[in-house]
Amino acid sequence: MLDVRKLAALRAVATEGSIAAAARSLRCTRSAVSQQLTALESEAGVRLIDRTGNRVRLTRLGEALVEHTERILAELRAAEALLDGNSADVTGTLRVGVPFGEGSALMGRALRRVQNQHPALQLQLFSATNQTTEKDLRRERFDLAVMSRFGPPWKAAAAGLREWQLGLDPLRVCVPAGHRLAGESSCALADLRAEPWILSPTTALGQLTTTLCAAAGFEPKVGALVDDVNIAIGLAARGWGVTIAPELAPATPESAIVRLRIRDVEAVRRVVLVARAGEYSSPRIAVVLNAIQEISEGEHRRPTRLVAAG
């Protein structure tokens, strides 16, 4: 029978891209990971990874085995959650990844409620970004995290993860208060083809912005390249260019920016809560989900729902 620890080592290599990085993630030595992989291949009777220098690549069978491993680990986490659920008290530590500059207000209220109702549960908040959150969850640096999904269609949760939708936030064009279109309630993107754009090409929002501009018939002229939506809004407020941002993303001061509806485009940010599959039923996470549900129903909002299987 295959050893779960060896399967976890293979999964870590798939996630991290190298044996050395997998060893750091698993908090063990590189030689220990290498030995586990060699033993796993011996037990399986097939080659699971191709080694090229310091990098490794999984074979087709190795990739298929990792998919099974994700399901196995999810079942093990569910079993642990079942045992934890026998305790009357909710204790321990819950690590939550939050994008501090644009986190969900609903999530903030839920965490405060949990803190008041379960003082023995220690909540730790960490700064999270869309680019790294899924890996951080798999590495068990976070137990829960808030992420943003941009544009249609709905993207299924990555393997081994589960998602809940916390809210929808329409995307708006941000222009400085003195802009020629500042008195309008909406605009077509084609109206801004001659404007300098503040873009975030490495982010999902930045990539969507480029796609929307292309659909409007132009390539945006670069005024600035940044990697943070709050910086982009701040530069737009200073007159450096225009940008696209979620309506609820804050600006300082708010009066310096005007947000325009994008005509003929239905683009939104979906704010989602993400946890490891199988683990979401543990008491530590269940109390957060319950708090979100209670607050959502109390505000007559559409209840938060599980939207994708991991």
mmCIF file of all heavy atoms in Angstrom, residues 129-161:
data_model
loop_
_atom_site.group_PDB
_atom_site.id
_atom_site.type_symbol
_atom_site.label_atom_id
_atom_site.label_comp_id
_atom_site.label_asym_id
_atom_site.label_seq_id
_atom_site.Cartn_x
_atom_site.Cartn_y
_atom_site.Cartn_z
ATOM 1 N N THR A 129 -2.146 37.774 -1.157
ATOM 2 C CA THR A 129 -2.331 38.286 -2.513
ATOM 3 C C THR A 129 -2.906 37.182 -3.389
ATOM 4 O O THR A 129 -2.709 35.995 -3.128
ATOM 5 C CB THR A 129 -1.004 38.755 -3.133
ATOM 6 O OG1 THR A 129 -0.140 37.615 -3.329
ATOM 7 C CG2 THR A 129 -0.297 39.761 -2.235
ATOM 8 N N ASN A 130 -3.604 37.582 -4.441
ATOM 9 C CA ASN A 130 -4.181 36.599 -5.351
ATOM 10 C C ASN A 130 -3.124 35.690 -5.960
ATOM 11 O O ASN A 130 -3.371 34.526 -6.236
ATOM 12 C CB ASN A 130 -4.929 37.316 -6.483
ATOM 13 C CG ASN A 130 -6.400 37.495 -6.157
ATOM 14 O OD1 ASN A 130 -6.797 37.454 -5.005
ATOM 15 N ND2 ASN A 130 -7.206 37.691 -7.170
ATOM 16 N N GLN A 131 -1.933 36.243 -6.180
ATOM 17 C CA GLN A 131 -0.901 35.496 -6.878
ATOM 18 C C GLN A 131 -0.366 34.330 -6.057
ATOM 19 O O GLN A 131 0.079 33.323 -6.623
ATOM 20 C CB GLN A 131 0.261 36.423 -7.276
ATOM 21 C CG GLN A 131 -0.105 37.441 -8.356
ATOM 22 C CD GLN A 131 -0.685 38.718 -7.793
ATOM 23 O OE1 GLN A 131 -1.253 38.733 -6.708
ATOM 24 N NE2 GLN A 131 -0.549 39.802 -8.548
ATOM 25 N N THR A 132 -0.389 34.423 -4.731
ATOM 26 C CA THR A 132 0.265 33.401 -3.906
ATOM 27 C C THR A 132 -0.667 32.661 -2.959
ATOM 28 O O THR A 132 -0.251 31.680 -2.336
ATOM 29 C CB THR A 132 1.386 34.050 -3.063
ATOM 30 O OG1 THR A 132 0.802 35.035 -2.188
ATOM 31 C CG2 THR A 132 2.426 34.710 -3.948
ATOM 32 N N THR A 133 -1.927 33.095 -2.845
ATOM 33 C CA THR A 133 -2.804 32.549 -1.806
ATOM 34 C C THR A 133 -3.033 31.050 -1.947
ATOM 35 O O THR A 133 -2.994 30.315 -0.953
ATOM 36 C CB THR A 133 -4.150 33.295 -1.798
ATOM 37 O OG1 THR A 133 -3.926 34.623 -1.301
ATOM 38 C CG2 THR A 133 -5.151 32.606 -0.898
ATOM 39 N N GLU A 134 -3.295 30.563 -3.149
ATOM 40 C CA GLU A 134 -3.582 29.137 -3.311
ATOM 41 C C GLU A 134 -2.388 28.282 -2.880
ATOM 42 O O GLU A 134 -2.546 27.254 -2.219
ATOM 43 C CB GLU A 134 -3.990 28.840 -4.750
ATOM 44 C CG GLU A 134 -5.363 29.407 -5.097
ATOM 45 C CD GLU A 134 -5.795 29.062 -6.504
ATOM 46 O OE1 GLU A 134 -4.959 28.554 -7.289
ATOM 47 O OE2 GLU A 134 -6.980 29.294 -6.843
ATOM 48 N N LYS A 135 -1.182 28.713 -3.247
ATOM 49 C CA LYS A 135 0.009 27.978 -2.810
ATOM 50 C C LYS A 135 0.172 28.051 -1.297
ATOM 51 O O LYS A 135 0.549 27.069 -0.649
ATOM 52 C CB LYS A 135 1.262 28.537 -3.501
ATOM 53 C CG LYS A 135 1.559 27.924 -4.861
ATOM 54 C CD LYS A 135 2.950 28.299 -5.327
ATOM 55 C CE LYS A 135 3.311 27.562 -6.610
ATOM 56 N NZ LYS A 135 4.693 27.873 -7.055
ATOM 57 N N ASP A 136 -0.104 29.214 -0.732
ATOM 58 C CA ASP A 136 0.032 29.362 0.721
ATOM 59 C C ASP A 136 -0.941 28.461 1.467
ATOM 60 O O ASP A 136 -0.623 27.950 2.540
ATOM 61 C CB ASP A 136 -0.163 30.826 1.128
ATOM 62 C CG ASP A 136 1.028 31.692 0.777
ATOM 63 O OD1 ASP A 136 2.141 31.149 0.738
ATOM 64 O OD2 ASP A 136 0.855 32.895 0.538
ATOM 65 N N LEU A 137 -2.123 28.259 0.907
ATOM 66 C CA LEU A 137 -3.077 27.331 1.519
ATOM 67 C C LEU A 137 -2.563 25.899 1.440
ATOM 68 O O LEU A 137 -2.641 25.144 2.407
ATOM 69 C CB LEU A 137 -4.444 27.444 0.836
ATOM 70 C CG LEU A 137 -5.298 28.647 1.249
ATOM 71 C CD1 LEU A 137 -6.410 28.882 0.238
ATOM 72 C CD2 LEU A 137 -5.877 28.447 2.640
ATOM 73 N N ARG A 138 -2.042 25.527 0.290
ATOM 74 C CA ARG A 138 -1.519 24.167 0.148
ATOM 75 C C ARG A 138 -0.311 23.936 1.049
ATOM 76 O O ARG A 138 -0.092 22.831 1.537
ATOM 77 C CB ARG A 138 -1.136 23.901 -1.307
ATOM 78 C CG ARG A 138 -2.324 23.761 -2.245
ATOM 79 C CD ARG A 138 -1.905 23.068 -3.528
ATOM 80 N NE ARG A 138 -3.016 22.992 -4.450
ATOM 81 C CZ ARG A 138 -3.302 23.920 -5.351
ATOM 82 N NH1 ARG A 138 -2.552 25.005 -5.431
ATOM 83 N NH2 ARG A 138 -4.323 23.786 -6.158
ATOM 84 N N ARG A 139 0.481 24.981 1.230
ATOM 85 C CA ARG A 139 1.655 24.879 2.110
ATOM 86 C C ARG A 139 1.272 24.952 3.587
ATOM 87 O O ARG A 139 2.134 24.862 4.450
ATOM 88 C CB ARG A 139 2.624 26.024 1.789
ATOM 89 C CG ARG A 139 3.293 25.919 0.422
ATOM 90 C CD ARG A 139 3.937 27.248 0.059
ATOM 91 N NE ARG A 139 4.722 27.160 -1.153
ATOM 92 C CZ ARG A 139 5.113 28.230 -1.860
ATOM 93 N NH1 ARG A 139 4.773 29.440 -1.467
ATOM 94 N NH2 ARG A 139 5.832 28.063 -2.954
ATOM 95 N N GLU A 140 -0.022 25.163 3.853
ATOM 96 C CA GLU A 140 -0.564 25.258 5.207
ATOM 97 C C GLU A 140 -0.027 26.466 5.956
ATOM 98 O O GLU A 140 0.066 26.471 7.183
ATOM 99 C CB GLU A 140 -0.328 23.963 5.993
ATOM 100 C CG GLU A 140 -0.987 22.753 5.342
ATOM 101 C CD GLU A 140 -0.905 21.500 6.189
ATOM 102 O OE1 GLU A 140 -0.414 21.578 7.324
ATOM 103 O OE2 GLU A 140 -1.346 20.452 5.700
ATOM 104 N N ARG A 141 0.303 27.523 5.220
ATOM 105 C CA ARG A 141 0.646 28.791 5.857
ATOM 106 C C ARG A 141 -0.624 29.508 6.300
ATOM 107 O O ARG A 141 -0.601 30.276 7.260
ATOM 108 C CB ARG A 141 1.432 29.664 4.879
ATOM 109 C CG ARG A 141 2.811 29.093 4.543
ATOM 110 C CD ARG A 141 3.548 29.948 3.533
ATOM 111 N NE ARG A 141 4.863 29.390 3.232
ATOM 112 C CZ ARG A 141 5.657 29.825 2.259
ATOM 113 N NH1 ARG A 141 5.257 30.846 1.501
ATOM 114 N NH2 ARG A 141 6.829 29.273 2.048
ATOM 115 N N PHE A 142 -1.722 29.308 5.569
ATOM 116 C CA PHE A 142 -3.031 29.809 5.940
ATOM 117 C C PHE A 142 -3.966 28.617 6.108
ATOM 118 O O PHE A 142 -3.766 27.558 5.514
ATOM 119 C CB PHE A 142 -3.635 30.712 4.851
ATOM 120 C CG PHE A 142 -2.788 31.865 4.410
ATOM 121 C CD1 PHE A 142 -2.910 32.369 3.124
ATOM 122 C CD2 PHE A 142 -1.888 32.473 5.266
ATOM 123 C CE1 PHE A 142 -2.147 33.437 2.690
ATOM 124 C CE2 PHE A 142 -1.118 33.549 4.852
ATOM 125 C CZ PHE A 142 -1.246 34.026 3.556
ATOM 126 N N ASP A 143 -5.036 28.828 6.897
ATOM 127 C CA ASP A 143 -6.124 27.856 6.984
ATOM 128 C C ASP A 143 -7.332 28.326 6.175
ATOM 129 O O ASP A 143 -8.099 27.514 5.661
ATOM 130 C CB ASP A 143 -6.539 27.653 8.440
ATOM 131 C CG ASP A 143 -5.369 27.197 9.300
ATOM 132 O OD1 ASP A 143 -4.745 26.189 8.951
ATOM 133 O OD2 ASP A 143 -5.078 27.862 10.313
ATOM 134 N N LEU A 144 -7.502 29.627 6.105
ATOM 135 C CA LEU A 144 -8.558 30.272 5.334
ATOM 136 C C LEU A 144 -7.943 31.469 4.623
ATOM 137 O O LEU A 144 -6.961 32.044 5.109
ATOM 138 C CB LEU A 144 -9.672 30.795 6.243
ATOM 139 C CG LEU A 144 -10.771 29.866 6.737
ATOM 140 C CD1 LEU A 144 -11.686 30.646 7.675
ATOM 141 C CD2 LEU A 144 -11.559 29.286 5.585
ATOM 142 N N ALA A 145 -8.522 31.871 3.505
ATOM 143 C CA ALA A 145 -8.026 33.071 2.841
ATOM 144 C C ALA A 145 -9.134 33.704 2.013
ATOM 145 O O ALA A 145 -10.034 33.016 1.514
ATOM 146 C CB ALA A 145 -6.826 32.744 1.952
ATOM 147 N N VAL A 146 -9.066 35.014 1.884
ATOM 148 C CA VAL A 146 -9.969 35.768 1.022
ATOM 149 C C VAL A 146 -9.242 36.066 -0.282
ATOM 150 O O VAL A 146 -8.093 36.518 -0.274
ATOM 151 C CB VAL A 146 -10.414 37.078 1.697
ATOM 152 C CG1 VAL A 146 -11.284 37.908 0.755
ATOM 153 C CG2 VAL A 146 -11.164 36.786 2.989
ATOM 154 N N MET A 147 -9.914 35.777 -1.401
ATOM 155 C CA MET A 147 -9.336 36.031 -2.721
ATOM 156 C C MET A 147 -10.344 36.764 -3.592
ATOM 157 O O MET A 147 -11.527 36.825 -3.282
ATOM 158 C CB MET A 147 -8.957 34.705 -3.408
ATOM 159 C CG MET A 147 -7.809 33.964 -2.811
ATOM 160 S SD MET A 147 -7.410 32.484 -3.796
ATOM 161 C CE MET A 147 -6.930 33.228 -5.372
ATOM 162 N N SER A 148 -9.857 37.285 -4.714
ATOM 163 C CA SER A 148 -10.720 37.911 -5.706
ATOM 164 C C SER A 148 -10.650 37.130 -7.006
ATOM 165 O O SER A 148 -9.577 36.681 -7.416
ATOM 166 C CB SER A 148 -10.295 39.358 -5.971
ATOM 167 O OG SER A 148 -10.441 40.156 -4.816
ATOM 168 N N ARG A 149 -11.803 36.956 -7.627
ATOM 169 C CA ARG A 149 -11.899 36.379 -8.965
ATOM 170 C C ARG A 149 -12.466 37.462 -9.877
ATOM 171 O O ARG A 149 -13.455 38.098 -9.534
ATOM 172 C CB ARG A 149 -12.821 35.158 -8.982
ATOM 173 C CG ARG A 149 -12.406 34.037 -8.065
ATOM 174 C CD ARG A 149 -11.193 33.324 -8.583
ATOM 175 N NE ARG A 149 -10.968 32.065 -7.868
ATOM 176 C CZ ARG A 149 -9.795 31.462 -7.834
ATOM 177 N NH1 ARG A 149 -8.758 32.005 -8.445
ATOM 178 N NH2 ARG A 149 -9.645 30.317 -7.187
ATOM 179 N N PHE A 150 -11.846 37.665 -11.028
ATOM 180 C CA PHE A 150 -12.263 38.749 -11.905
ATOM 181 C C PHE A 150 -12.860 38.214 -13.200
ATOM 182 O O PHE A 150 -12.278 37.353 -13.863
ATOM 183 C CB PHE A 150 -11.073 39.657 -12.238
ATOM 184 C CG PHE A 150 -10.581 40.443 -11.060
ATOM 185 C CD1 PHE A 150 -9.509 39.990 -10.310
ATOM 186 C CD2 PHE A 150 -11.201 41.615 -10.692
ATOM 187 C CE1 PHE A 150 -9.051 40.708 -9.213
ATOM 188 C CE2 PHE A 150 -10.756 42.346 -9.595
ATOM 189 C CZ PHE A 150 -9.671 41.895 -8.861
ATOM 190 N N GLY A 151 -14.026 38.779 -13.541
ATOM 191 C CA GLY A 151 -14.629 38.525 -14.832
ATOM 192 C C GLY A 151 -15.272 37.161 -14.976
ATOM 193 O O GLY A 151 -14.963 36.225 -14.254
ATOM 194 N N PRO A 152 -16.191 37.032 -15.924
ATOM 195 C CA PRO A 152 -16.824 35.745 -16.189
ATOM 196 C C PRO A 152 -15.894 34.883 -17.027
ATOM 197 O O PRO A 152 -14.972 35.391 -17.669
ATOM 198 C CB PRO A 152 -18.069 36.142 -16.990
ATOM 199 C CG PRO A 152 -17.675 37.414 -17.676
ATOM 200 C CD PRO A 152 -16.710 38.099 -16.748
ATOM 201 N N PRO A 153 -16.142 33.562 -17.077
ATOM 202 C CA PRO A 153 -17.132 32.853 -16.289
ATOM 203 C C PRO A 153 -16.565 32.510 -14.914
ATOM 204 O O PRO A 153 -15.393 32.742 -14.656
ATOM 205 C CB PRO A 153 -17.356 31.573 -17.096
ATOM 206 C CG PRO A 153 -16.022 31.321 -17.722
ATOM 207 C CD PRO A 153 -15.439 32.682 -18.032
ATOM 208 N N TRP A 154 -17.422 31.917 -14.043
ATOM 209 C CA TRP A 154 -16.949 31.489 -12.732
ATOM 210 C C TRP A 154 -15.857 30.444 -12.898
ATOM 211 O O TRP A 154 -16.004 29.476 -13.633
ATOM 212 C CB TRP A 154 -18.110 30.928 -11.915
ATOM 213 C CG TRP A 154 -17.637 30.417 -10.601
ATOM 214 C CD1 TRP A 154 -17.338 29.139 -10.275
ATOM 215 C CD2 TRP A 154 -17.344 31.201 -9.447
ATOM 216 N NE1 TRP A 154 -16.882 29.072 -8.990
ATOM 217 C CE2 TRP A 154 -16.873 30.309 -8.452
ATOM 218 C CE3 TRP A 154 -17.430 32.560 -9.158
ATOM 219 C CZ2 TRP A 154 -16.508 30.756 -7.193
ATOM 220 C CZ3 TRP A 154 -17.064 32.972 -7.901
ATOM 221 C CH2 TRP A 154 -16.612 32.085 -6.940
ATOM 222 N N LYS A 155 -14.765 30.623 -12.209
ATOM 223 C CA LYS A 155 -13.655 29.678 -12.269
ATOM 224 C C LYS A 155 -13.766 28.691 -11.115
ATOM 225 O O LYS A 155 -13.923 29.092 -9.968
ATOM 226 C CB LYS A 155 -12.330 30.438 -12.174
ATOM 227 C CG LYS A 155 -11.106 29.533 -12.202
ATOM 228 C CD LYS A 155 -9.834 30.357 -12.018
ATOM 229 C CE LYS A 155 -8.609 29.470 -11.933
ATOM 230 N NZ LYS A 155 -7.376 30.254 -11.693
ATOM 231 N N ALA A 156 -13.710 27.382 -11.432
ATOM 232 C CA ALA A 156 -13.805 26.364 -10.389
ATOM 233 C C ALA A 156 -12.606 26.461 -9.454
ATOM 234 O O ALA A 156 -11.524 26.906 -9.839
ATOM 235 C CB ALA A 156 -13.877 24.982 -11.012
ATOM 236 N N ALA A 157 -12.811 26.046 -8.226
ATOM 237 C CA ALA A 157 -11.716 26.040 -7.255
ATOM 238 C C ALA A 157 -10.612 25.105 -7.724
ATOM 239 O O ALA A 157 -10.864 24.093 -8.393
ATOM 240 C CB ALA A 157 -12.238 25.589 -5.893
ATOM 241 N N ALA A 158 -9.380 25.444 -7.390
ATOM 242 C CA ALA A 158 -8.247 24.596 -7.749
ATOM 243 C C ALA A 158 -8.334 23.276 -6.987
ATOM 244 O O ALA A 158 -8.995 23.172 -5.956
ATOM 245 C CB ALA A 158 -6.937 25.316 -7.430
ATOM 246 N N ALA A 159 -7.661 22.270 -7.520
ATOM 247 C CA ALA A 159 -7.682 20.945 -6.898
ATOM 248 C C ALA A 159 -7.231 21.038 -5.445
ATOM 249 O O ALA A 159 -6.252 21.705 -5.124
ATOM 250 C CB ALA A 159 -6.767 19.995 -7.668
ATOM 251 N N GLY A 160 -7.990 20.362 -4.572
ATOM 252 C CA GLY A 160 -7.644 20.346 -3.159
ATOM 253 C C GLY A 160 -8.171 21.516 -2.366
ATOM 254 O O GLY A 160 -7.923 21.606 -1.162
ATOM 255 N N LEU A 161 -8.927 22.425 -3.015
ATOM 256 C CA LEU A 161 -9.449 23.611 -2.334
ATOM 257 C C LEU A 161 -10.955 23.688 -2.502
ATOM 258 O O LEU A 161 -11.529 23.115 -3.420
ATOM 259 C CB LEU A 161 -8.797 24.885 -2.886
ATOM 260 C CG LEU A 161 -7.272 24.982 -2.783
ATOM 261 C CD1 LEU A 161 -6.793 26.257 -3.454
ATOM 262 C CD2 LEU A 161 -6.802 24.920 -1.334
#
